[in-house]
Amino acid sequence: MSITATSHARPARRFGGSAGLPSAFWALWSGQLINRLGGFVQPFLVLYLTQAQQVSATTAGAVAAAVGAGNIVSHLLGGWMSDHVGRRAALLVGFLGTAAAMAALGTAPNLAFIWASAFAVGVTSEIFRPAAEAVVADLIGPEARVRAYGLLFWAVNLGFSISTVAAGFAVRFGFGLLFWVDALTCLIAALIIWRAVPETRPAVAEGSRRSLVAVAVRDRALLGLVVLSTMYAVVYFQSYTTLPLAMGADGLAASTYGLVIAVNGVVVVVLQPFLLRFLERHDRSVLTGLSMLVVGLGFGAAVLADSALGYAGTVVVWTLGEIGYTTLIIAIFADLAPVDLRGGYMGIAGVTFALGATVGPLAGTAVLEHAGANTLWAGCAAVGVVMLVGQLVLAPTLRARAADLAGEGQVVTDPAAAS
């Protein structure tokens, strides 16, 4: 297969090691930060539905699952657009589409419209992600990808830590404001992409582009990673669905949940810069498995919590695992991705999270309602152990694949502007 730089790119050069990161990366970083500063809706969606719309917890979980179902489409669409239309177009469509869908959800007059709008939010809100992750892989060599993806994750959580605290207070004045602020930040992010992020998609020789499905179904390393990543997401999404419900059952207010979940972002913002160098220097696959275990055990520790301080302590534990997992996992998917299917592989990585966002609320609320919180949290801990074992089994194959594909297809659009 012949891979060349696009007409937008200068001669190929990798950013890695101690080299600076290109300005296009920092534009992506800024866009994600601003977008997440207004990311009020997701952590408060269940509370909005059960309190403002007066629906049952099961119905609220099902609506949240509709967002997750839309996310499955969104990641696949974003990956396809990244490889066939372009990274930049996918980024713009994603942010602009999400702004419109958020406005529709915030003004939905009835439950049917809420369902439709929630699905639309799901379909649009993750289109940008595989495109952004593919841009990073286009511009940055394997040795620096953990750093780059870690910085993107840090920006997301910096915005998240601010937005959840602000939303916890803003919700006292009504839920509607949350949707409009979220839409506005999407528009600002789109403007940043339009002005500062060029196209980076590597060109593929005519007739040599392969089918993503045909390649993916034969990629055993990819399929194993998909299973484990989906299990992780099922556990992780209890933070947005069953955690606020369990806290409410213990007599804690919605604003208290906002403060507790904000601990997640604060821990990431404070600790990730110190952990990033450690994560760069050690085996990605093993650290990912250990991170999965810590997340499962962190949610399992909620068995012991019944106060704001107790729940905040569990958040600290699973956040430490989240830092490791989220910093490393996209770099692992990027290491596996053939150059011509880079956007598609990033889309598949996102699908695992979307599957978790779909299954997690349904499974979690069902277990909580029929078996109780203690059973739910113990199950999360057990899943953490299973994920660790699975990741350790998969680790040798992942390392071998990363070595085979290292260094393919990096381009840079503005080497003189690296910062």
Side-chain angles (χ1 to χ4, degrees):
M1 181 184 306
S2 174
I3 307 292
T4 61
T6 65
S7 60
H8 300 84
R10 297 183 185 180
R13 171 186 163 190
R14 289 187 300 171
F15 284 92
S18 61
L21 299 173
S23 60
F25 168 83
W26 292 111
L28 286 173
W29 187 92
S30 300
Q32 289 205 26
L33 172 62
I34 291 172
N35 178 243
R36 291 303 292 176
L37 285 171
F40 298 154
V41 171
Q42 186 180 37
F44 281 85
L45 180 59
V46 169
L47 294 176
Y48 163 70
L49 293 169
T50 55
Q51 295 182 11
Q53 296 295 332
Q54 298 296 307
V55 304
S56 69
T58 301
T59 300
V63 172
V67 177
N71 284 166
I72 296 173
V73 178
S74 187
H75 284 288
L76 293 174
L77 178 59
W80 182 89
M81 288 186 67
S82 297
D83 287 336
H84 293 82
V85 180
R87 321 301 200 205
R88 193 167 182 264
L91 290 165
L92 292 172
V93 168
F95 283 127
L96 294 174
T98 303
M102 282 292 179
L105 181 58
T107 57
N110 53 53
L111 187 57
F113 203 91
I114 288 172
W115 278 97
S117 300
F119 184 71
V121 167
V123 169
T124 56
S125 62
E126 298 296 328
I127 289 176
F128 85 95
R129 196 175 301 276
E133 292 163 354
V135 168
V136 171
D138 292 340
L139 295 175
I140 298 167
E143 64 272 28
R145 284 178 188 159
V146 169
R147 175 189 171 203
Y149 290 125
L151 287 169
L152 286 178
F153 175 57
W154 187 76
V156 166
N157 280 275
L158 177 61
F160 180 76
S161 64
I162 296 171
S163 69
T164 48
V165 174
F169 290 102
V171 75
R172 299 176 182 179
F173 303 98
F175 285 95
L177 180 63
L178 306 185
F179 293 90
W180 290 108
V181 173
D182 205 330
L184 177 62
T185 57
C186 289
L187 294 176
I188 295 172
L191 179 62
I192 292 172
I193 298 303
W194 179 63
R195 293 294 302 271
V197 178
E199 184 56 62
T200 65
R201 178 173 56 121
V204 178
E206 189 68 26
S208 64
R209 188 175 294 281
R210 298 172 293 174
S211 164
L212 174 64
V213 174
V215 174
V217 297
R218 296 195 301 269
D219 191 338
R220 294 183 180 180
L222 174 66
L223 296 177
L225 203 59
V226 164
V227 171
L228 294 173
S229 297
T230 301
M231 294 171 66
Y232 169 89
V234 168
V235 173
Y236 176 81
F237 270 94
Q238 304 314 308
S239 61
Y240 296 142
T241 51
T242 54
L243 179 60
L245 295 175
M247 290 180 65
D250 284 332
L252 301 173
S255 58
T256 302
Y257 167 69
L259 292 172
V260 167
I261 199 64
V263 171
N264 170 252
V266 171
V267 171
V268 173
V269 170
V270 173
L271 294 185
Q272 190 187 19
F274 300 100
L275 295 175
L276 188 55
R277 188 170 296 277
F278 172 81
L279 294 172
E280 284 185 296
R281 290 179 174 178
H282 294 81
D283 186 276
R284 297 178 188 180
S285 296
V286 173
L287 286 179
T288 299
L290 291 172
S291 298
M292 290 173 168
L293 174 65
V294 172
V295 169
L297 295 179
F299 280 99
V303 169
L304 305 175
D306 60 5
S307 65
L309 185 61
Y311 281 110
T314 69
V315 171
V316 171
V317 174
W318 59 256
T319 298
L320 292 174
E322 182 193 6
I323 290 172
Y325 175 86
T326 311
T327 300
L328 297 166
I329 194 65
I330 298 302
I332 292 175
F333 273 99
D335 290 344
L336 289 178
V339 176
D340 60 316
L341 298 174
R342 190 170 275 160
Y345 267 55
M346 297 300 99
I348 291 172
V351 165
T352 66
F353 215 60
L355 286 172
T358 305
V359 176
L362 293 172
T365 53
V367 173
L368 181 66
E369 189 168 346
H370 298 292
N374 287 347
T375 300
L376 172 66
W377 304 135
C380 290
V383 172
V385 174
V386 173
M387 290 188 292
L388 170 63
V389 173
Q391 186 65 25
L392 292 179
V393 170
L394 196 58
T397 301
L398 295 176
R399 285 193 291 268
R401 283 285 301 280
D404 289 342
L405 293 173
E408 290 190 10
Q410 273 77 51
V411 299
V412 64
T413 59
D414 54 350
S419 56

